[in-house]
Amino acid sequence: MISVDEAREIILSKIERLSIEKVPILESLGRVLDEDILAEADIPPFNNSAMDGYAVRFEDTTGAWPGAPAELKVLGDLAAGYVPESPVGKGEAVRIMTGAQMPEGANAVVMVENTERTDGGVLVFSPVRPGENVRFAGEDIKAGEVALKRGKKIIPGDIGMMASVGKAIVKVVRKPRVAIITTGDELVGIDEPLAPGKIRNSNAYSIAAQVIDTGCMPLMLGIARDTREALMAKVDEAVGIKADMIITTGGVSVGDYDFVKDILDEAGEMVFWQVAMKPGKPLAFGIIKEIPIIGLPGYPTSSMVSFEQFARPALLKMSGRSDISWMTVEAIFQDPSFMNRTGRRNMVRVVVAKEDGMFKARLSGPQQSGSLKPVTLADGLMVIPEEVEEVKAGDKVTVELFEPITG
Ligand code: AMP
Ligand code: MG
């Protein structure tokens, strides 16, 4: 049996980043940028007002207070999107809106709240400092500066930055296309009636959802029946459509109908492991016609946990990501006791809540590999290291979160 870390390392060592493509910026969200994005001009492009108020010379407001306001002549109104017509001179002001370009001569903006309009003028009740309430040209980014660095995972703010520098199309790492093949004579489609001895093919959907959640595209190849030929036909189909990765579920145990290993042995380069993890001991990995293939176990929870540990990091590496690690929290275990006498790393489905400023973890339900319900209730996986035989109430544990905890 090999360790979870060893298995993951071997898989990652065989995975390479995909090629580059150009996409409209909205399609780049969540993907890895493959070019430096430069600002051709200053952002903001001109000095502008950060407030609704009056553009003034700060010198004219010195010493102003409600008992002795400064009185300035108002030259006109200036809305965002228009250019100032005349400069502001001594004793003068321009009514200015947020984002409007500063008139020449003005060097600060008085908030409208600190003023009172009069006939043809304005009373200013408090002084402003030079540059107060002004956003200066290039304050955000200077012309020629790198606005976004190559290799960055693109977040919504980056899309805004691309738009503000006038970038419509960007170079990104291609999105992995992942063929999903589920195996089993017991499986029926989700829209088919159940017959005796049959179960619905839930894995195809949970794994596809994980693929989407990893920023990749699932290719639903359906069910391969438990024969060598049926499985080979599906694998050929995946090769035919040039999938970037093939993921199978089921058929990786040592039963009479478990063909994943045989197929890969025949057609590709195959590694089969017993991984020291619970759930999810059996795992197949190989390369077939240059396509990496990961054979996940059949039980719904085992397949999902194995996806998290092995397929997700591999897909992230393909996507160009280098920051491959889980979001974890340290939590206090709340159930009386949880035994782990397997010598394997135990990934326990838990609910995490923040109470009294601390994270607390509780089992989300029974921990059978076949039960999906505790997965739907869980916030993450509590990691019990191989050598730890028991976790007791009050023990500090590490939880790999499915999503950032908010409550
Ligand atoms: P296997 O490893 O192929 O023997 O699968 C183990 C068990 O996992 C099966 O007996 C099913 O109960 C369950 N299973 C396998 N494939 C699926 C699937 N696609 N959807 C839901 N459950 C599955
Ligand atoms: Mg099976």
Side-chain angles (χ1 to χ4, degrees):
M1 215 151 36
I2 69 170
S3 76
V4 174
D5 297 331
E6 264 177 286
R8 190 187 303 123
E9 259 169 50
I10 296 171
I11 292 174
L12 286 175
S13 74
K14 304 274 186 192
I15 299 285
E16 286 179 23
R17 198 187 79 159
L18 297 184
S19 56
I20 301 306
E21 66 178 349
K22 288 184 175 177
V23 296
I25 56 173
L26 264 184
E27 279 174 39
S28 75
L29 183 64
R31 296 166 69 176
V32 171
L33 184 62
D34 193 58
E35 59 179 317
D36 282 340
I37 294 189
L38 299 175
E40 282 174 7
D42 284 345
I43 299 178
F46 45 82
N47 296 348
N48 65 88
S49 177
M51 292 277 182
D52 288 335
Y54 290 86
V56 299
R57 297 165 68 251
F58 84 91
E59 300 91 330
D60 292 344
T61 66
T62 309
W65 68 290
E71 185 163 14
L72 304 174
K73 183 183 168 200
V74 177
L75 301 177
D77 282 17
L78 194 53
Y82 298 91
V83 284
E85 277 171 12
S86 46
V88 169
K90 195 167 176 356
E92 293 174 341
V94 165
R95 171 82 174 112
I96 195 165
M97 310 304 154
T98 305
Q101 185 170 333
M102 288 291 285
E104 224 169 287
N107 52 22
V109 172
V110 184
M111 286 163 70
V112 72
E113 291 86 339
N114 296 336
T115 65
E116 192 181 302
R117 194 76 186 241
T118 60
D119 239 6
V122 63
L123 298 174
V124 174
F125 298 118
S126 66
V128 276
R129 286 171 283 110
E132 193 166 337
N133 301 322
V134 178
R135 292 175 67 231
F136 290 97
E139 186 176 288
D140 196 1
I141 302 235
K142 296 234 175 337
E145 209 179 299
V146 176
L148 297 171
K149 274 218 170 83
R150 180 162 181 261
K152 184 179 196 310
K153 180 198 168 189
I154 298 165
I155 60 172
D158 299 336
I159 307 265
M161 180 62 81
M162 292 172 196
S164 54
V165 303
K167 187 94 187 161
I169 307 280
V170 278
K171 272 195 199 170
V172 290
V173 179
R174 218 159 47 68
K175 193 183 247 206
R177 296 159 65 248
V178 184
I180 298 172
I181 302 169
T182 41
T183 71
D185 282 352
E186 73 276 33
L187 303 178
V188 299
I190 57 166
D191 48 0
E192 288 176 59
L194 284 177
K198 307 290 181 188
I199 58 168
R200 291 212 174 86
N201 177 14
S202 64
N203 285 356
Y205 294 88
S206 49
I207 300 301
Q210 287 178 304
V211 165
I212 294 170
D213 195 49
T214 312
C216 306
M217 188 194 295
L219 308 168
M220 307 294 268
L221 297 199
I223 301 164
R225 294 306 170 194
D226 285 323
T227 67
R228 215 173 276 258
E229 297 70 34
L231 182 57
M232 196 65 230
K234 289 286 181 198
V235 169
D236 281 340
E237 197 182 328
V239 172
I241 58 174
K242 296 195 163 62
D244 297 304
M245 180 184 282
I246 302 171
I247 294 183
T248 63
T249 76
V252 284
S253 304
V254 284
D256 292 342
Y257 298 96
D258 294 327
F259 293 118
V260 170
K261 176 179 180 297
D262 297 1
I263 288 286
L264 298 186
D265 261 340
E266 279 164 33
E269 174 198 331
M270 172 63 200
V271 192
F272 172 76
W273 294 307
Q274 303 265 319
V275 179
M277 182 168 86
K278 188 176 188 296
K281 185 160 74 171
L283 183 80
F285 173 69
I287 309 282
I288 198 159
K289 306 239 165 75
E290 295 178 11
I291 303 175
I293 167 160
I294 298 182
L296 302 174
Y299 277 122
T301 301
S302 310
S303 64
M304 291 188 75
V305 171
S306 301
F307 179 96
E308 283 301 316
Q309 295 301 311
F310 307 110
R312 189 189 289 268
L315 288 172
L316 289 177
K317 185 169 179 193
M318 270 188 178
S319 310
R321 297 274 294 279
S322 50
D323 52 337
I324 301 170
S325 63
W326 284 265
M327 180 140 10
T328 61
V329 288
E330 300 298 314
I332 309 294
F333 189 59
Q334 299 292 292
D335 289 84
S337 160
F338 191 87
M339 302 302 293
N340 180 43
R341 293 238 171 91
T342 57
R344 293 188 265 158
R345 186 176 302 179
N346 207 321
M347 309 298 288
V348 183
R349 279 69 74 200
V350 292
V351 176
V352 178
K354 200 168 184 183
E355 293 167 16
D356 313 323
M358 265 183 298
F359 289 109
K360 309 258 171 101
R362 296 180 177 82
L363 299 180
S364 65
Q367 298 291 315
Q368 282 88 351
S369 312
S371 319
L372 262 183
K373 192 173 159 195
V375 178
T376 70
L377 297 173
D379 296 303
L381 298 169
M382 172 171 85
V383 186
I384 307 183
E386 293 77 349
E387 68 283 0
V388 174
E389 291 195 352
E390 184 181 9
V391 177
K392 292 204 204 69
D395 284 355
K396 206 180 213 186
V397 293
T398 299
V399 179
E400 289 179 3
L401 297 175
F402 297 145
E403 297 221 316
I405 287 278
T406 50

